[in-house]
Amino acid sequence: MSNSTSPADVTNTPTHASNCPDVTVQTEQGLYINPTALTAHLPALAYRNNTLYMEDISIDELAERYATPCYIYSKQAIVAVYQDYSDSFAAIEHQICYAVKANSNLAVLGVLAQAGAGFDIVSRGELMRVLAAGGKASKVVFSGVGKTADDIEFALNQGISCFNVESVNELILINKVAQQLNKSAPISLRVNPDVDANTHPYISTGLKDNKFGIAHDKAVAVYQQATAMSHIDIIGIDCHIGSQLTEVAPFIAALDKLIELIQNLADKGIQLKHIDLGGGLGVRYIDEAPITIAEFAQALLPKLTTLGLKVFFEPGRSMVANAGILLTRVDILKPTEHKNFAIVDAAMNDLIRPALYQAEMAVIPAVLSSVDADIEAMQAWDIVGAICETGDFLAKDRLLNLAGNDLLAITGAGAYGMVMSSNYNTRPRAAEVMVAGTQHQLIRKRESIEELYASEALWSAYQ
Ligand code: LLP
């Protein structure tokens, strides 16, 4: 993998290359990712007769049917991860609140609601999606630093389970809105435990110079302030220290800090009902080796069992990243003297993670040819979009055998893919498809170009 150790490269922490020499080979020209070995580590994806399948449908067939670029998600892979979380924490009372921000398609939310998941939301819009998908407000926690009075009123009227409060002024606002509605608002304080999640700076949230949460050493005082508020019902404590964490140590460090606070609060007569440890468990994009959900649970369970409170988790990425791919077709091959560019029909507007975080995501062919195992015969390609930005790349220096019109799958794209897409360069957003066994369904129609400017108007105020 990349030799660079700059912080910008840490998102996918590709530090375990030596653990899986079968998946990657780094040459002077570029990085080779063995498609068969990679998919052996991914749920729902496999090559059959050299053709990539998601569950029981060939990707080729899906491209014919739905065109490209297109996001495709495996229903079974999503449900399996939820089940894994649920089984791994079966020994304690718990609620898995899927972080909607990772992938908010109604079908994804609906499948998870049916499986029994709760939801972690950060906006009124996300709550409306959850409700539209059949989720229950009573299983929703509301995170985020900027809840408005309207957001709070809507959430209270729907009967959400808990507000994860991030500041004193938010607490005051919630109390005020609850009073106007003659309701009691269930709250938890999001504590910033000041632990280093050891992840990319943009997705690290538990350090004291991040904007999130209430400082650990101020938390008790804020809880005491909350006890004096007439329409606040203190029920929990929460934290979220960052995303794509591959080790358990930062989670344990954060848990220890929260346990200390819970004891401190109990001594002052403030009894909590739940602890919410946020999300953040990392996934394997290429050759990372994050702890598994079962290992995560094993490490936390002894302390959580002793604590005896209900436990909430807010996983996003780990629930959906590897259930999804972004399917794209090569439009133009542009070999140059210095670099080879494969211009594909997806771009940074479809998938911004590589451009924004220098995230390394695997790009594999939908159909393998006989030369796909021959690294010597391959050239290094930058897989780029058609957007007028140098930052518009999906992968750099990848050893691939490419021809015009080839179909490629970018794996790990189920989380923070479609949700972060935009219409930059007046590009319609991609279609989304869900697959289950041999069944497949369009779960979001590709936008038309006309739709993109249909709600705009020409200037006509003073003719
Ligand atoms: N809870 C809270 C309060 C959060 O802020 C987040 C993510 C989660 C839960 C879910 O974390 P996860 O399990 O997905 O790590 N766009 C970035 C990731 C941003 C994560 C923001 N917060 C990326 O593409 O890497």
Side-chain angles (χ1 to χ4, degrees), residues 241-257:
I241 55 173
S243 201
Q244 185 57 10
L245 274 68
T246 53
E247 298 157 1
V248 80
F251 289 109
I252 298 280
L255 174 58
D256 283 343
K257 289 216 165 177

Side-chain angles (χ1 to χ4, degrees), residues 42-45 54 70-75 77-78 81 98-105 107-109 112 283-285 315-327 350-353 361-362 409-421 431-434 443:
L42 297 176
L45 289 175
M54 181 178 276
C70 178
Y71 276 96
I72 307 175
Y73 313 118
S74 153
K75 176 173 180 275
I78 296 171
V81 180
Y98 166 64
V100 172
K101 64 167 80 69
N103 184 330
S104 59
N105 185 287
V108 172
L109 302 181
L112 283 167
V283 301
R284 176 181 183 130
Y285 281 101
R317 187 192 315 268
S318 54
M319 296 272 280
V320 288
N322 278 326
I325 59 172
L326 172 59
L327 199 56
D350 298 298
L351 181 65
I352 203 171
R353 302 194 67 257
M361 300 177 72
I410 303 173
T411 60
Y416 305 114
M418 185 67 182
V419 283
M420 295 181 81
S421 65
E432 289 177 290
V433 171
M434 186 173 273
I443 58 169

Side-chain angles (χ1 to χ4, degrees), residues 334-342 379-384 397:
K334 182 176 175 183
T336 74
E337 212 176 301
H338 302 289
K339 258 199 148 176
N340 299 319
F341 297 100
Q379 284 183 302
W381 294 93
D382 279 10
I383 313 296
V384 302
D397 299 320

Side-chain angles (χ1 to χ4, degrees), residues 384-407:
V384 302
I387 286 179
C388 301
E389 296 254 358
T390 305
D392 178 23
F393 60 89
L394 298 169
K396 283 190 170 175
D397 299 320
R398 296 294 174 81
L399 291 179
L400 286 160
N401 265 308
L402 290 184
N405 217 36
D406 271 2
L407 193 57

Side-chain angles (χ1 to χ4, degrees), residues 168-227:
V168 175
N169 283 335
E170 181 189 332
L171 195 57
I172 294 169
L173 182 61
I174 293 175
N175 186 49
K176 190 173 142 198
V177 176
Q179 185 167 22
Q180 283 160 359
L181 299 175
N182 199 19
K183 286 182 189 287
S184 177
I187 68 104
S188 156
L189 292 190
R190 175 169 176 182
V191 174
N192 186 333
D194 193 25
V195 300
D196 190 352
N198 198 16
T199 185
H200 189 282
Y202 285 12
I203 53 176
S204 181
T205 48
L207 285 169
K208 58 175 178 281
D209 52 1
N210 297 139
K211 70 178 171 183
F212 300 100
I214 292 164
H216 179 257
D217 56 356
K218 300 280 185 307
V220 173
V222 179
Y223 271 105
Q224 284 177 314
Q225 221 176 323
T227 55

Side-chain angles (χ1 to χ4, degrees), residues 361-378:
M361 300 177 72
V363 183
I364 54 175
V367 180
L368 294 178
S369 74
S370 53
V371 280
D372 273 319
D374 183 2
I375 300 180
E376 305 281 295
M378 289 180 190

